[in-house]
Amino acid sequence: RNEAAAAGRCAVAREAAVAGVEAATDQLRLPDLEATLRGKVDDIARRHTAKFTAQTADISDTAAYTAAHAELGRMLSEHVTLTMDQNARRWHARLAPVSAAALARLRVDFSCGAAAAAAWRASTASVSGAASSSSSSSTSSSASARAARAASSVSVSAATTAANLTTAWGDAAWICIRDAVPWVCERHAAAVWTREFEARRTGHAADKRDLVHNMSDTMVREVARVF
């Protein structure tokens, strides 16, 4: 059998299958729930793959058929991924108020510089307070009982101060890492969007027929990723 002729027929059938899938998926109403949409797209892909198989049944034992069938599978897989991504973007557009609220919250977040400045002010205040406490305790140490209580108070105060400073500088370090590392920044933004979305989904009367109230966690994460 002429492999070149088989390759030509397979190419025509493959392109027809891809065009058919693209045309059918373009007719789908978006946004849609993830599982529902994936079921629809997979069904479309199966139907057009079956057409390809039927059109090339008499040359299915050729190398050209094997290569074309594999290429068709790859192309349809990519199209399914693109369709799901488009669905997430349509959800993002529909949920614009959530994105606006998340963006507003991100804008009031501490920046790296502001967080470091706040931690520095806390450190300066703590050092000044510790020095004042130490001076006060030394001038009032005429009585041993008072001295012991003062020493205990200073010790507790120092431990509390150290814990507060550790938290302040730890928070500042995290914020600076968040601002400097792209994937950390993106993950933080997605988390803020998700919190805003969940607050709105549970804070309003839920119509169970509304797709928003039936979105899967995976779909929510995909839309947050788009944001």
Side-chain angles (χ1 to χ4, degrees):
R1 184 180 287 113
N2 191 324
E3 281 286 346
R9 283 184 57 190
C10 286
V12 171
R14 183 191 64 220
E15 295 305 319
V18 172
V21 170
E22 291 176 347
T25 53
D26 284 345
Q27 299 303 312
L28 295 174
R29 295 182 61 182
L30 302 180
D32 199 352
L33 296 177
E34 179 189 26
T36 303
L37 178 61
R38 185 169 291 280
K40 293 175 182 177
V41 175
D42 286 346
D43 182 61
I44 291 170
R46 278 194 298 270
R47 285 193 284 109
H48 285 277
T49 299
K51 286 184 180 180
F52 168 85
T53 302
Q55 291 170 355
T56 55
D58 60 325
I59 54 173
S60 60
D61 60 343
T62 64
Y65 170 85
T66 301
H69 190 274
E71 179 67 6
L72 176 62
R74 184 189 65 78
M75 295 173 73
L76 294 187
S77 178
E78 289 179 355
H79 185 70
V80 169
T81 299
L82 289 174
T83 302
M84 300 307 293
D85 185 64
Q86 182 182 20
N87 188 51
R89 294 182 183 281
R90 293 285 184 88
W91 271 117
H92 182 254
R94 177 172 172 175
L95 296 169
V98 176
S99 299
L103 187 59
R105 185 171 294 277
L106 287 170
R107 283 173 175 162
V108 300
D109 270 355
F110 264 153
S111 65
C112 176
W120 177 257
R121 286 194 299 272
S123 298
T124 303
S126 296
V127 170
S128 299
S132 175
S133 296
S134 177
S135 174
S136 175
S137 63
S138 63
T139 56
S140 60
S141 58
S142 55
S144 60
R146 289 181 180 179
R149 285 196 300 270
S152 176
S153 177
V154 169
S155 177
V156 171
S157 177
T160 301
T161 297
N164 291 339
L165 288 180
T166 298
T167 299
W169 282 109
D171 289 345
W174 156 246
I175 291 171
C176 289
I177 291 172
R178 183 198 70 199
D179 289 354
V181 182
W183 71 266
V184 178
C185 184
E186 291 171 1
R187 186 172 180 179
H188 173 66
V192 170
W193 190 94
T194 302
R195 286 197 297 271
E196 290 294 333
F197 171 81
E198 293 297 347
R200 280 160 174 72
R201 180 158 66 172
T202 58
H204 296 80
D207 180 356
K208 298 305 181 183
R209 295 170 299 176
D210 187 347
L211 294 183
V212 170
H213 295 289
N214 293 288
M215 289 174 68
S216 67
D217 291 342
T218 301
M219 189 74 259
V220 172
R221 286 194 295 270
E222 283 301 306
V223 181
R225 181 186 60 79
V226 172
F227 171 76

